[in-house]
Amino acid sequence: MGITVGFDLDMTLIDPRPGMVAVMNALGAESGLPLDGEFFAANLGPPLDASLRGFGAPEERIPELVTRFRAMYPETVVPVTVALPGAAEALHAVREAGGRTVVVTGKYAPNAKLHLDALGLEVDVLVGELWSTEKAAALTEHGAGVYVGDHLGDVRGALAAGAVPVGVTTGPCTRAELLAEGADVVFDSLTEFPAWFSSFDGLREPGRSGRGPARAE
């Protein structure tokens, strides 16, 4: 049996930013609230309800706003979303090595599945609506030894699950921020993942606080 590798979705496997701008701005216009689609799309990661609170949405309106956002999402976001460079190849590399892939995302799972289906990204397991250290439960349940993500919350989730944290700078966080949070390795994009993974043996290097794969230098 090969290793199970977890992946975040937004800004790790896919780039939904144009649609995210559109859907949040449309929701703002419809609801009469000052929702900023550009800011939202530039800072993807935290749960939708937290983002709405950040825009000053009244607490009592958040459930209805979340429901409406999710309803608008399939037609507004999915058609204009693209796979990020190396996404399909990273998933393929895990399968070729006899491993399993699990996507653990903060996104509403039915909408996340629409993205995977539309882009032809095949994964073994999809778990939605988990953020930061909450992701550890799903990663542990499915035995993930590695978790790949673009956000500090993804690094925290990997560490909480005892998985090797791998960062990518395709999202809002810099290489320095991801490394400082505890990422073992950080890529500019997933195009670098297959070569790294080909030398990954799941062992831990001594002197690295329990983090990191043994790999050739």
Side-chain angles (χ1 to χ4, degrees):
M1 291 292 292
I3 190 171
T4 295
V5 179
F7 292 86
D8 177 49
L9 186 62
D10 285 351
M11 301 314 301
T12 298
L13 292 173
I14 67 171
D15 183 353
R17 288 175 296 182
M20 290 295 206
V21 172
V23 72
M24 187 59 78
N25 284 341
L27 184 63
E30 182 180 285
S31 64
L33 295 171
L35 307 181
D36 186 338
E38 287 75 11
F39 181 87
F40 176 64
N43 295 276
L44 295 175
L48 177 58
D49 57 352
S51 296
L52 292 169
R53 289 187 185 94
F55 292 133
E59 190 66 29
E60 66 274 11
R61 295 193 63 184
I62 286 177
E64 70 179 71
L65 292 169
V66 169
T67 297
R68 181 60 180 147
F69 180 97
R70 290 174 174 175
M72 298 167 70
Y73 192 101
E75 292 186 0
T76 305
V77 185
V78 175
V80 296
T81 295
V82 299
L84 282 165
E89 292 81 1
L91 296 172
H92 180 72
V94 178
R95 288 195 300 272
E96 280 291 289
R100 299 174 70 250
T101 53
V102 52
V103 167
V104 183
T105 174
K107 190 183 299 297
Y108 182 53
N111 286 339
K113 188 175 187 305
L114 291 176
H115 280 302
L116 295 174
D117 291 346
L119 296 170
L121 298 176
E122 297 181 14
V123 302
D124 294 296
V125 179
L126 168 63
V127 182
E129 297 183 73
L130 295 177
W131 160 242
S132 189
T133 54
E134 295 173 351
K135 294 186 174 187
L139 294 172
T140 300
E141 177 184 353
H142 296 287
V146 175
Y147 186 62
V148 186
D150 66 286
H151 200 282
L152 302 185
D154 297 323
V155 176
R156 293 170 190 148
L159 292 173
V164 173
V166 175
V168 284
T169 59
T170 42
C173 300
T174 67
R175 176 182 299 274
E177 288 171 333
L178 291 164
L179 288 171
E181 195 64 32
D184 185 79
V185 61
V186 177
F187 303 134
D188 291 331
S189 78
L190 285 179
T191 59
E192 300 173 58
F193 177 86
W196 173 84
F197 188 69
S198 69
S199 65
F200 178 76
D201 62 12
L203 298 177
R204 304 288 184 168
E205 292 178 0
R208 297 207 54 181
S209 302
R211 291 194 296 266
R215 59 187 184 277
E217 295 298 335

